[in-house]
Amino acid sequence: MNEISRDVDVDVVVIGAGQAGLSSAYHLARTGIEHVVLDHAPRPGGAWQFRWPSLTYGRVHGMHALPGMELTGADALRPSSEVIGEYFAAYEDRFGLRVRRPVDVSAVRDGGDGRLRVESSDGNWSARALINATGTWDRPFWPRYPGQETFRGRRLHTANYPGPGEFAGARVIVVGGGTSAVQHLLEISEVAAETTWVTRRPPVFRDGTFGEAEGRAAVALVDERVRQGLPPQSVVSVTGLPLTEAVRAGLASGVLERRPVFERVTATGAAWADGSRVDADVILWATGFRAAVDHLAPLRLREPGGGIRVEGTRAVRDERVHLVGYGPSASTIGANRAGGAAVREIRRLLARERVGAPRAALSA
């Protein structure tokens, strides 16, 4: 990678080359807007390249094709990391999306003269607008419970889950109420000596179809939090868990019998307020992720509630910044639509600047 010794001027910087970033780059390329895509991953595939081997393509929850190119003929039994990684690589090649990788972005600052300064391991970029598409995979959420530092077993998170093989004969506590927790439990239970499922709230299983109207309602709930400047919840968190045949079997067998969250972690497992205990060799935290936006901190975009307030994809505190794959656009289909929406707004912003119209004042 060529070393850059000065700030390079560009209209738009896209940070991240997952679903949201590639969708945004596709629309930028179609409109002829000068841009660069910076991705910290070693190869194409976004966060999918880091998924565990046992997550085959046929078990993927809601993968939607990128704009302009369908994903067809994929083997449902192949690891999703391979299938989607190859698809993203082919997509970049087909549309000439020259992604610079691996590049770590350390900070985005106000650069003066109405521009943003993007500081990275590949040098610094001076941009008129920014599309942040960094997702959540780099910020796994590890909750804190009393005594967890005393646990003598192994602690893992979904982010570094190796697949079920390493849990053969082990006693495993899985913490979390989402789709990943359920998938982990169903496959670990086939090889483990014992599994225990722990969630903060009783899980809600969704039977029947999940249509367009239900999808819009779920996205609206997530969108409302973001509009209020609160940290976003995932769309999945408000849709419930799909009641598949595998899930029905897990409920019938007792694998998906849920216990409330423990009071504390012990050296040998976990303990509840009622005095009950469970011994464990492994605690697996399937407790989700948070938005990876720390590099935006110098722009002071966060609201008192802890989140970044957005209208559509635009950060309310700085109209030059768009967050795609954040909050209501965190699903794969949402990221596609949001990429196009962000580019339309950026196109209008750039057009205003070219005719000398003043940029909207930033919120206080």
Side-chain angles (χ1 to χ4, degrees):
M1 187 173 293
N2 295 327
E3 183 178 351
I4 298 176
S5 58
R6 61 178 180 82
D7 289 13
V8 176
D9 290 345
V10 67
D11 282 339
V12 181
V13 171
V14 180
I15 307 176
Q19 186 100 15
L22 292 183
S23 170
S24 300
Y26 168 85
H27 291 290
L28 287 167
R30 280 172 59 88
T31 55
I33 296 175
E34 182 188 21
H35 65 281
V36 64
V37 184
L38 309 178
D39 186 34
H40 86 116
R43 56 190 177 274
W48 291 102
Q49 65 192 271
F50 306 113
R51 297 298 203 273
W52 51 99
S54 57
L55 181 61
T56 57
Y57 182 65
R59 298 175 63 196
V60 164
H61 182 68
M63 170 63 193
H64 193 79
L66 285 159
M69 179 177 163
E70 292 294 323
L71 172 53
T72 59
D75 183 349
L77 299 179
R78 288 187 68 201
S80 61
S81 58
E82 296 178 5
V83 172
I84 299 174
E86 291 171 5
Y87 169 56
F88 279 19
Y91 188 86
E92 291 178 17
D93 183 63
R94 176 171 176 177
F95 294 106
L97 306 180
R98 293 181 293 276
V99 179
R100 302 178 73 97
R101 60 168 61 92
V103 177
D104 293 316
V105 173
S106 55
V108 181
R109 308 180 189 277
D110 189 284
D113 299 326
R115 301 181 74 91
L116 295 163
R117 188 171 198 254
V118 181
E119 300 173 357
S120 83
S121 60
D122 192 30
N124 301 326
W125 304 79
S126 177
R128 299 165 72 188
L130 175 82
I131 294 179
N132 191 81
T134 48
T136 63
W137 187 259
D138 296 321
R139 284 202 61 201
F141 175 62
W142 294 76
R144 296 289 304 173
Y145 286 95
Q148 65 187 52
E149 68 282 353
T150 69
F151 181 59
R152 295 198 294 263
R154 186 179 182 189
R155 288 187 290 166
L156 294 170
H157 191 279
T158 292
N160 54 10
Y161 174 66
E166 293 193 24
F167 302 93
R171 299 163 299 176
V172 184
I173 297 175
V174 177
V175 185
T179 304
S180 293
V182 170
Q183 290 178 346
H184 297 337
L185 279 159
L186 291 177
E187 61 182 24
I188 289 172
S189 65
E190 296 181 0
V191 298
E194 179 182 311
T195 60
T196 303
W197 187 22
V198 173
T199 70
R200 287 193 300 123
R201 292 183 294 272
V204 176
F205 293 96
R206 184 188 75 242
D207 199 359
T209 59
F210 188 78
E212 187 175 337
E214 291 83 0
R216 285 198 301 267
V219 169
L221 291 174
V222 180
D223 183 56
E224 181 58 27
R225 285 184 59 87
V226 172
R227 287 178 179 273
Q228 294 175 13
L230 298 172
Q233 293 177 323
S234 69
V235 175
V236 173
S237 71
V238 295
T239 62
L241 296 164
L243 199 54
T244 64
E245 289 305 313
V247 169
R248 291 180 191 276
L251 289 168
S253 68
V255 169
L256 296 181
E257 182 180 343
R258 166 259 182 190
R259 295 192 63 165
V261 73
F262 38 73
E263 182 181 59
R264 67 187 186 280
V265 177
T266 68
T268 58
W272 280 256
D274 62 5
S276 61
R277 292 173 174 265
V278 167
D279 289 333
D281 305 297
V282 181
I283 299 178
L284 174 57
W285 302 94
T287 44
F289 300 79
R290 300 293 183 263
V293 293
D294 288 352
H295 55 285
L296 301 180
L299 296 176
R300 301 182 182 276
L301 303 178
R302 289 191 186 272
E303 301 293 333
I308 298 175
R309 189 155 60 100
V310 300
E311 292 288 346
T313 62
R314 175 179 53 81
V316 170
R317 289 182 176 265
D318 193 326
E319 67 173 349
R320 299 169 296 181
V321 178
H322 288 259
L323 286 86
V324 179
Y326 177 86
S329 65
S331 66
T332 56
I333 188 170
N336 281 0
R337 293 170 176 168
V343 171
R344 287 192 293 273
E345 285 212 31
I346 288 173
R347 190 177 184 182
R348 288 192 287 268
L349 172 68
L350 299 183
R352 288 205 316 270
E353 290 186 353
R354 289 191 180 101
V355 299
R359 186 163 61 88
L362 305 187
S363 301

